[in-house]
């Protein structure tokens, strides 16, 4: 396993250098076979490296057309280092956020969510589904789960179907406990059938998938969610305080 990771890292490093030195934004890269010959690795390794670079927004892959060097100026940079509404992050970048689709329903709590919120699997929770667009282009699909109540205080998140109300704002008002810390675990994935429908991308399109947990100042989990992001529309920047 370590040897394979070393091969992938080396191939990715060489491909980054190749892109930086010989290509410009918008240029089409050679096909996988040509890149494999140039990098002296297998096509499978090239395919995996291209998937990693696509997830980072370095390249854009279009099914049946090819792989292109992405124009970073066309994407919206979004920092995830602070607990700030996605809506406000997009607006701060000079772009227009909208909700293309949103729903709030009661459902059974998924097992991973139940572990976080301290509920039995299948217990009733609120499910908040929102599809955010940037300048009318689908960009981020977020599905959050919230308990029906906090400390005996029933909550009603139906207002979250509007772009004017953010989850963090809602929780601070509804529970009296602001989201002070959010943890996000991210991974690169390829679009499945549901992501194709939601985000308007072809099957196999590279995406970033994250699991997010929001905590109150005393460490109480307030929500558990999943987000799927198009990195050809949004770039995710992580800022660490020092």
């Amino acid at each position: 396993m370590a040897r394979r990771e070393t091969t992938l890292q080396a191939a990715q490093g060489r491909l980054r250098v190749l892109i930086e030195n010989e290509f410009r934004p918008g240029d089409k890269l050679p096909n996988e076979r040509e890149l494999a010959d140039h990098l002296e690795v297998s096509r499978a390794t090239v395919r995996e490296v291209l998937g990693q670079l696509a997830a980072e927004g370095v390249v854009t892959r279009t099914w049946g057309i090819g792989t292109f060097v992405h124009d970073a100026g066309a994407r919206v940079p979004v920092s995830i280092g602070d607990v700030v509404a996605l809506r406000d992050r997009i607006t701060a970048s000079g772009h227009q956020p909208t909700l293309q689709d949103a729903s709030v329903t009661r459902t059974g709590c998924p097992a991973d969510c139940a572990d976080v919120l301290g509920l039995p699997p299948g217990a009733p929770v609120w499910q908040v589904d929102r599809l955010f667009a940037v300048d009318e282009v689908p960009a981020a699909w977020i599905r959050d789960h919230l308990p029906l109540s906090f400390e005996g205080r029933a909550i009603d998140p139906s207002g979250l179907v509007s772009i004017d109300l953010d989850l963090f704002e809602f929780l601070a008002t509804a529970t009296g406990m602001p989201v002070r810390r959010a943890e996000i675990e991210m991974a690169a994935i390829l679009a499945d059938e549901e992501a194709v429908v939601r985000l308007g991308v072809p099957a196999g399109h590279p995406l970033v998938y994250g699991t997010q947990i929001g905590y109150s100042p005393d460490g109480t989990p307030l929500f558990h969610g999943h987000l799927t992001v198009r990195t050809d529309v949004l770039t995710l920047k992580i800022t660490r305080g020092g």
Side-chain angles (χ1 to χ4, degrees):
M1 179 63 71
R3 184 174 181 179
R4 173 169 173 72
E5 291 178 353
T6 300
T7 299
L8 286 171
Q9 292 169 356
Q12 184 179 126
R14 294 200 300 272
L15 185 53
R16 286 181 184 275
V17 171
L18 179 67
I19 291 173
E20 291 174 1
N21 293 339
E22 299 188 22
F23 296 91
R24 293 185 295 181
D27 285 351
K28 184 178 181 179
L29 295 182
N31 61 38
E32 291 179 359
R33 184 183 299 279
E34 292 171 326
L35 287 174
D37 291 342
H38 182 83
L39 299 175
E40 299 180 340
V41 295
S42 68
R43 289 183 64 182
T45 296
V46 168
R47 190 175 301 115
E48 189 166 352
V49 167
L50 288 174
Q52 293 171 346
L53 294 182
E56 295 176 19
V58 177
V59 300
T60 300
R61 309 197 74 188
T62 303
W63 187 267
I65 298 178
T67 303
F68 299 82
V69 180
H70 196 84
D71 182 359
R75 294 174 290 158
V76 179
V78 172
S79 172
I80 59 174
D82 300 311
V83 181
V84 180
L86 177 61
R87 173 201 64 200
D88 296 336
R89 296 168 182 161
I90 296 170
T91 301
S93 297
H95 295 264
Q96 178 63 43
T98 55
L99 273 180
Q100 286 197 340
D101 189 25
S103 65
V104 175
T105 57
R106 285 179 59 150
T107 188
C109 189
D112 58 345
C113 169
D115 288 341
V116 171
L117 298 180
L119 299 171
V125 292
W126 289 113
Q127 178 174 291
V128 181
D129 249 35
R130 292 168 296 163
L131 177 61
F132 287 87
V134 176
D135 301 331
E136 301 186 357
V137 178
W141 168 34
I142 303 177
R143 173 174 289 171
D144 294 307
H145 291 101
L146 296 76
L148 300 183
S149 63
F150 286 94
E151 299 181 350
R153 183 178 179 179
I155 65 170
D156 177 10
S158 57
L160 290 170
V161 297
S162 168
I163 191 71
D164 295 327
L165 181 62
D166 175 73
L167 178 63
F168 297 156
E169 298 168 346
F170 164 74
L171 287 172
T173 300
T175 70
M177 296 183 289
V179 179
R180 187 58 53 84
R181 177 170 60 93
E183 295 180 353
I184 305 177
E185 182 177 328
M186 297 182 294
I189 65 168
L190 300 178
D192 59 13
E193 292 182 5
E194 194 169 17
V196 167
V197 174
R198 288 284 189 168
L199 293 170
V201 296
H205 186 85
L207 303 168
V208 166
Y209 177 82
T211 300
Q212 180 174 222
I213 304 171
Y215 296 91
S216 71
D218 66 1
T220 301
L222 298 176
F223 72 91
H224 178 273
H226 298 287
L227 62 156
T228 308
V229 178
R230 285 181 55 173
T231 56
D232 57 330
V233 180
L234 293 176
T235 58
L236 304 178
K237 181 176 69 174
I238 300 175
T239 304
R240 294 180 177 176

